[in-house]
Amino acid sequence: MIKKELINQSIDYIIEHFDETLSVEDVANHFHFSKFYFCRSFKEATGENVYEFIKRLKMDQSAIELKLEKNKAITDIGLDYGYSSSNYSSAFRKHHNISPAEFRKSTNVTGLANPFYPEGVSGFDTFDGYNDKIKIQMLPDFLVIYERMIGNYIDLKQNWFDFLDKHNEYIEEGTVFIERFYDDPVITNLDSCLCDICMTTKESCKLANFTTVKGGRFATYCFEGKIEDIFGTVEGIFSIWLPESGYEMNGRCGLNIYREIDQENGSVIMDLCIPIK
């Protein structure tokens, strides 16, 4: 089977190019794989075949765009992902069980049921409430050791424990712990959410799972509180602050940068970072 790191590179390539007309053959050829061997290895590593993965990403990411860019025409969003207006509406409804217009209307909310803690509802702050706590800043590139997870974000806690145990020898004073997240769990099936667990390291690192998390211009919100409240804060920033801020998201992944972790009380201090342009 193709090594896990190469499958991760193929996922990165798909994410970077799926708003183009991207075929399974394009991805396999880019990495000099045979189509059959690549498809078999991809399914083994991710649980999805490549075509299903590309299609799901298009539908989920276009839904995020509907949510964030409320003034952008639905037909234009469909075109951005390679669909005609009629085909996009049909494909979107088939995937999300709702039309694009109905979905966009459903995002005008002041709170959401928390999928990780179903007994609770996460209420949102006002635009000014978020805006007062958000700073626009430039972040550097981070050289990191990483593990990619595809699954329920509620499993992140255990995944972090496993990751830190595995790479304990690389932890030093000043090591920064980062999550690079790609999906909105309100939109994407909880068992299919994509996230990279990362820790900074030195340029001399020889591990195969070594990569660069790109920096740049970010809107950064300093979160202090319980782990279960992170979801509501992130959703509020994306649902309330970003659409009204005058900024647009630049890229398809945000960063959570941990500053302090209190395991005993289940609380953290962390920066919630959205790439903007």
Side-chain angles (χ1 to χ4, degrees), residues 3-13 142-149 159-160 163-164 166-167 170 176-180 182 194-201 205 207-213:
K3 290 183 178 180
K4 183 179 180 180
E5 288 74 25
L6 290 175
I7 295 297
N8 285 337
Q9 290 176 27
S10 73
I11 291 174
D12 292 339
Y13 182 80
F142 298 95
L143 302 178
V144 301
I145 301 166
Y146 80 106
E147 293 284 351
R148 175 160 292 165
M149 61 160 282
N159 288 329
W160 265 113
F163 175 74
L164 295 176
K166 182 177 179 181
H167 300 291
Y170 295 93
V176 179
F177 302 101
I178 303 169
E179 290 165 356
R180 179 167 57 175
Y182 299 83
L194 185 66
C195 180
D196 296 333
I197 296 172
C198 314
M199 55 183 273
T200 54
T201 190
C205 179
L207 294 178
N209 55 327
F210 172 80
T211 191
T212 300
V213 173

Side-chain angles (χ1 to χ4, degrees), residues 6-249:
L6 290 175
I7 295 297
N8 285 337
Q9 290 176 27
S10 73
I11 291 174
D12 292 339
Y13 182 80
I14 290 168
I15 290 171
E16 291 171 8
H17 295 88
F18 71 72
D19 52 356
E20 304 169 12
T21 304
L22 187 66
S23 68
V24 176
E25 290 84 356
D26 291 333
V27 183
N29 291 338
H30 179 80
F31 290 95
H32 308 291
F33 301 144
S34 77
K35 179 182 175 181
F36 173 77
Y37 187 53
F38 173 57
C39 289
R40 188 160 63 99
S41 298
F42 192 95
K43 179 70 177 288
E44 179 77 16
T46 67
E48 290 182 274
N49 70 48
V50 188
Y51 174 76
E52 290 172 343
F53 184 81
I54 294 173
K55 184 177 179 181
R56 177 176 67 77
L57 281 181
K58 287 185 178 226
M59 288 295 101
D60 289 350
Q61 291 294 323
S62 72
I64 291 174
E65 197 165 328
L66 285 168
K67 179 177 179 176
L68 300 183
E69 299 189 34
K70 297 184 185 298
N71 295 321
K72 187 171 183 178
I74 290 174
T75 53
D76 289 341
I77 291 175
L79 289 171
D80 287 345
Y81 291 87
Y83 291 92
S84 67
S85 57
S86 59
N87 286 343
Y88 176 62
S89 182
S90 175
F92 191 96
R93 183 184 288 276
K94 184 175 181 180
H95 183 75
H96 292 292
N97 298 314
I98 191 173
S99 74
E102 292 168 332
F103 172 82
R104 173 174 273 173
K105 189 181 296 184
S106 74
T107 64
N108 296 320
V109 295
T110 58
L112 286 172
N114 191 322
F116 306 115
Y117 300 90
E119 68 280 2
V121 173
S122 297
F124 298 156
D125 203 345
T126 63
F127 172 84
D128 288 338
Y130 292 117
N131 199 51
D132 288 344
K133 298 178 182 179
I134 286 176
K135 295 181 179 179
I136 308 303
Q137 61 180 166
M138 296 295 296
L139 294 181
D141 292 348
F142 298 95
L143 302 178
V144 301
I145 301 166
Y146 80 106
E147 293 284 351
R148 175 160 292 165
M149 61 160 282
I150 300 176
N152 196 319
Y153 283 166
I154 202 170
D155 296 328
L156 277 170
K157 181 178 179 181
Q158 186 58 51
N159 288 329
W160 265 113
F161 289 154
D162 295 342
F163 175 74
L164 295 176
D165 285 344
K166 182 177 179 181
H167 300 291
N168 182 63
E169 65 184 286
Y170 295 93
I171 300 174
E172 302 177 344
E173 184 178 354
T175 297
V176 179
F177 302 101
I178 303 169
E179 290 165 356
R180 179 167 57 175
F181 61 92
Y182 299 83
D183 294 302
D184 182 340
V186 174
I187 294 170
T188 298
N189 183 293
L190 291 180
D191 293 328
S192 300
C193 290
L194 185 66
C195 180
D196 296 333
I197 296 172
C198 314
M199 55 183 273
T200 54
T201 190
K202 296 177 180 177
E203 191 172 0
S204 57
C205 179
K206 301 299 183 183
L207 294 178
N209 55 327
F210 172 80
T211 191
T212 300
V213 173
K214 289 293 184 182
R217 193 176 185 220
F218 283 78
T220 301
Y221 179 102
C222 182
F223 173 88
E224 299 185 38
K226 296 290 187 180
I227 292 172
E228 58 262 34
D229 294 327
I230 296 172
F231 166 82
T233 303
V234 172
E235 286 296 325
I237 293 169
F238 276 96
S239 298
I240 304 296
W241 181 81
L242 188 57
E244 301 298 326
S245 67
Y247 296 105
E248 293 181 19
M249 191 168 176

